[in-house]
Amino acid sequence: MKCLITGGNVKVLGKAVHSLSRIGDELYLEPLKGGLSLRTVNSSRSAYACFLFAPLFFQQYQAASPGQDLLRCKILMKSFLSVFRSLAMVEKSVEKCCISLSGSNSHLVVQLHCKYGVKKTHNLSFQDCESLQAVFNPALCPHLLRAPARVLAEAVLSFPPALTEVTLGIGHGQRVILRSYQEEEADNANKAMVTETSIGEEDFQQLQAPEGIAVTFCLKEFRGLLSFAESANLSLSVHFDVPGRPVIFTIEDSLLDGHFVLATLLEQDPCSQDLCSPKPCQPVPQKEAHSTPPLDDFTNDDIDCYMIAMETTVGSEGSRAQPSTSLPHVSQPSHDLAPSSEEEEEAEPSTVPGTPPPKKFRSLFFGSILAPVHSPQGPSPVLAEDSDGEG
Amino acid sequence: MKFRAKIVDLACLNHFTRVSNMIAKLAKTCTLRISPEKLNFILSDKLASGGVSMWCELEQENIFSEFQMEGVSAENNEIYLELTSENLSRALKTAQNARALKIKLTNKHFPCLTVSVELQLSSSSSSRIVTHDIPIKVIPRRLWKDLQEPSVPDSDVSIYLPALKTMKSVVEKMKNISNHLVIEANLNGDLNLKIETELVCVTTHFKDLGNPVLPSESVSQNRHPEDMVEVHIDIRKLLQFLAGQQVTPTKAVCNIVSNRMVHFDLLLDDISLQYFIPAWS
């Protein structure tokens, strides 16, 4: 495999690697006929990201030497990222970038041709691997929204940088709502501030989703794609389904496309997902029909009205949210959907059920590990499996 | 109990944001007192704050274009809330160029102060609305007595402060050498900041600061204008106070009660701030 990237595209590639680095620790590089694919998955298999750079993105693109099979490899994300660590430097001084992988060489060679004749060669060791293939189909998701990345990036600005999870949904008047997600805290004093941004449907190029739908996913992982899309001035499409099913973010233009697939929380507590619940903008007291326009609410809402409305939705307060992911083959020991028997498989086993997952994703796994009887998904399609390459 | 207020003027909004940023630096948790005419940010001299107390007062009609409140009862027409100061300043930070800002007392799952910001972005045709629900704790009536305006003590010396930024940079360096410092002043416009360790003594002298005219001269009548009055205080507390001052105050006075406490009395446009630091013990 050999490809040559020139000019501004080097920075684009660098930015893509930065976004992928937010997700996983290993980068799967696979030259395909249709272009160079860079993929990654996170350790708990709850997030998958893939960028495909079309042959036109490169000045020269050769997927494989004639007569040779397509090679693919897996590199440490840290190593590959170090080549593009400083995007400012890349933009200023790198003129060409050449990536080559050959069967004879035991390293992936990335060569940066910089100004003043400086040439930086990085020899990155890699591992052979099977194709990282996630099974997902945006077309199967019933709900869709599409907007310039800038719109979502601005909305996300109001959230604290440390916020882990965010809920996206549709509220009254077809407004798109983004709300910071908090796990239920027992002690009121430790509650964190809840921030919510509401965006009018006019700011969206496409909006196909019913009011009341809401999904919760990891904001940190999403930010990676968002910053890439914003800098490339692209539109971002969000394909989603019911809570529990993954949300698929896609961007595309003539030279590249990107897919980020994130697991969503399976929420049983209607309160936190209830984006249509009484809010300052749209009060829904029991007695009155709601017809207040979203912006002129000042005289209508009242702490008493909320208390009445709250009492009727508080019914399932007791049940703690039953989070799980849509990757049942990892989290449910009873479903052995991922045959991990290939000999050549890389030494990266699926998360062993029972292993305490990293704290960050505890909420995505804990429920299903503890209560396998709930098996909410049944034999649902496997999201990412280490199967032998069918593609 | 009801509270609703609205700010539409950008200058008022910025002013309120600046106050809230200052409070966030001065006190992690504070009490917000809402009364028909005023808003107060209060830190009472509990053990938790190390004896430091703060009283910040602003006239609501200088900030809010609309203001409605109903206290706990008709006789006690006030509301006392406890909140994390940083939450308020973070919420206000998102309102940089807002068209309007509303604050309300609400109860969504838990009692909160809801700050609702209406933004008009150039990139979008419609308004963007950002809402922040700040969790609060309502303080019961029986605890209100601990949260009253502290009485201004009869001070031994009262003096105008030098540039707070200068004071801050001096105290910051002194913090590395000693845990406590002596602040002393006289009626001749001299103020000194002194630290003393086994190895070294460092003193910074500020001169010609001027002294405000005190209403009752009785205490200081017997005092020679050159005589210094001093108090030993914890450096970190002084530094925390100075770090909170981002804007040059309209008026800044320091009152020292010999060996008991130092009282800072600042006026930032129309907002008054009083900060009490007790003597080092």
Side-chain angles (χ1 to χ4, degrees), chain A residues 150-152 154-155 157-160 175 179 184 188-189 191-203 271-272 277-282 294-304 306-307 310 313-314 317, chain B residues 1-6 66-68 82 84 86-88 90-91 94 99 101-114 116 118-119 121-137:
Chain A
R150 197 182 9 95
V151 169
L152 293 169
E154 271 164 356
L157 267 182
S158 21
F159 294 112
R175 289 188 76 87
R179 184 197 285 171
E184 290 296 317
N188 255 3
K191 282 201 188 305
M193 182 163 88
V194 173
T195 300
E196 183 180 292
T197 307
S198 138
I199 314 170
E201 65 172 315
E202 317 77 58
D203 290 337
C271 292
S272 27
S277 69
K279 301 187 338 283
C281 304
Q282 297 94 22
L295 304 175
D296 178 26
D297 60 309
F298 204 66
T299 48
N300 259 338
D301 53 1
D302 210 342
I303 195 172
D304 301 325
Y306 294 131
M307 301 195 74
M310 276 303 109
T313 55
V314 120
E317 263 304 312
Chain B
M1 224 179 23
K2 216 195 299 213
F3 170 58
R4 288 190 215 128
K6 186 169 173 182
E66 288 173 42
F67 190 91
Q68 291 169 36
E82 189 179 283
T84 303
E86 202 206 347
N87 281 342
L88 182 61
R90 257 204 291 124
T94 64
R99 269 168 95 194
L101 179 127
K102 293 177 198 158
I103 306 186
K104 282 176 275 230
L105 193 55
T106 58
N107 187 354
K108 319 174 186 177
H109 307 280
F110 47 87
C112 32
L113 205 58
T114 296
S116 171
E118 191 188 320
L119 296 165
L121 299 165
S122 52
S123 57
S124 98
S125 46
S126 67
S127 300
R128 195 65 61 79
I129 300 174
V130 183
T131 326
H132 302 272
D133 296 322
I134 302 169
I136 51 156
K137 229 165 47 173

Side-chain angles (χ1 to χ4, degrees), chain A residues 49-126:
Chain A
C50 160
F51 278 99
L52 180 68
F53 295 94
L56 274 179
F57 179 80
F58 306 91
Q59 190 176 71
Q60 267 177 45
Y61 180 71
Q62 187 186 41
S65 318
Q68 276 217 329
D69 284 333
L70 289 172
L71 292 169
R72 48 177 168 250
C73 67
K74 183 172 77 157
I75 327 166
L76 270 186
M77 185 68 76
K78 232 173 32 177
S79 316
F80 202 75
L81 186 62
S82 66
V83 179
F84 303 97
R85 167 68 62 198
S86 162
L87 289 171
M89 187 279 296
V90 166
E91 186 177 28
K92 243 184 3 188
S93 53
V94 177
E95 291 164 352
K96 279 198 294 204
C97 169
C98 179
I99 307 180
S100 54
L101 178 64
S102 71
S104 49
N105 197 344
S106 61
H107 287 101
L108 175 77
V109 183
V110 182
Q111 219 174 39
L112 298 176
H113 299 250
C114 309
K115 280 207 296 228
Y116 314 118
V118 173
K119 211 159 47 162
K120 300 186 193 173
T121 309
H122 298 258
N123 295 306
L124 308 172
S125 37
F126 63 86

Side-chain angles (χ1 to χ4, degrees), chain B residues 188-204:
Chain B
N188 214 18
D190 298 321
L191 180 124
N192 298 336
L193 298 172
K194 285 202 306 207
I195 50 168
E196 202 174 303
T197 67
E198 281 172 3
L199 297 175
V200 66
C201 288
V202 182
T203 310
T204 303

Side-chain angles (χ1 to χ4, degrees), chain A residues 125-305:
Chain A
S125 37
F126 63 86
Q127 279 179 294
D128 285 316
C129 63
E130 296 308 323
S131 176
L132 179 70
Q133 192 73 323
V135 177
F136 61 92
N137 188 352
L140 291 179
C141 295
H143 313 306
L144 164 68
L145 35 100
R146 205 161 76 90
R150 197 182 9 95
V151 169
L152 293 169
E154 271 164 356
V156 155
L157 267 182
S158 21
F159 294 112
L163 182 66
T164 348
E165 279 140 2
V166 75
T167 305
L168 166 74
I170 316 291
H172 281 305
Q174 286 282 299
R175 289 188 76 87
V176 175
I177 315 265
L178 278 168
R179 184 197 285 171
S180 60
Y181 175 78
Q182 310 292 344
E183 287 189 18
E184 290 296 317
E185 294 280 353
D187 180 7
N188 255 3
N190 288 334
K191 282 201 188 305
M193 182 163 88
V194 173
T195 300
E196 183 180 292
T197 307
S198 138
I199 314 170
E201 65 172 315
E202 317 77 58
D203 290 337
F204 286 84
Q205 292 152 333
Q206 250 184 308
L207 180 52
Q208 272 159 239
E211 281 185 16
I213 188 78
V215 289
T216 303
F217 52 86
C218 181
L219 178 62
K220 280 200 172 118
E221 290 163 347
F222 174 53
R223 278 190 206 266
L225 179 64
L226 196 54
S227 68
F228 178 85
E230 200 191 357
S231 66
N233 223 356
L234 294 171
S235 284
L236 186 69
S237 298
V238 186
H239 305 258
F240 58 109
D241 200 337
V242 295
R245 303 284 304 141
V247 56
I248 305 169
F249 300 96
T250 62
I251 52 167
E252 72 181 302
D253 78 2
S254 49
L255 299 180
L256 60 86
D257 63 52
H259 290 86
F260 270 50
V261 185
L262 304 181
T264 63
L265 288 191
L266 180 66
E267 200 72 272
Q268 282 189 5
D269 173 7
C271 292
S272 27
Q273 287 285 359
D274 191 2
L275 293 171
C276 284
S277 69
K279 301 187 338 283
C281 304
Q282 297 94 22
V284 187
Q286 292 297 79
K287 325 170 249 241
E288 300 164 35
H290 76 93
S291 56
T292 2
L295 304 175
D296 178 26
D297 60 309
F298 204 66
T299 48
N300 259 338
D301 53 1
D302 210 342
I303 195 172
D304 301 325
C305 295

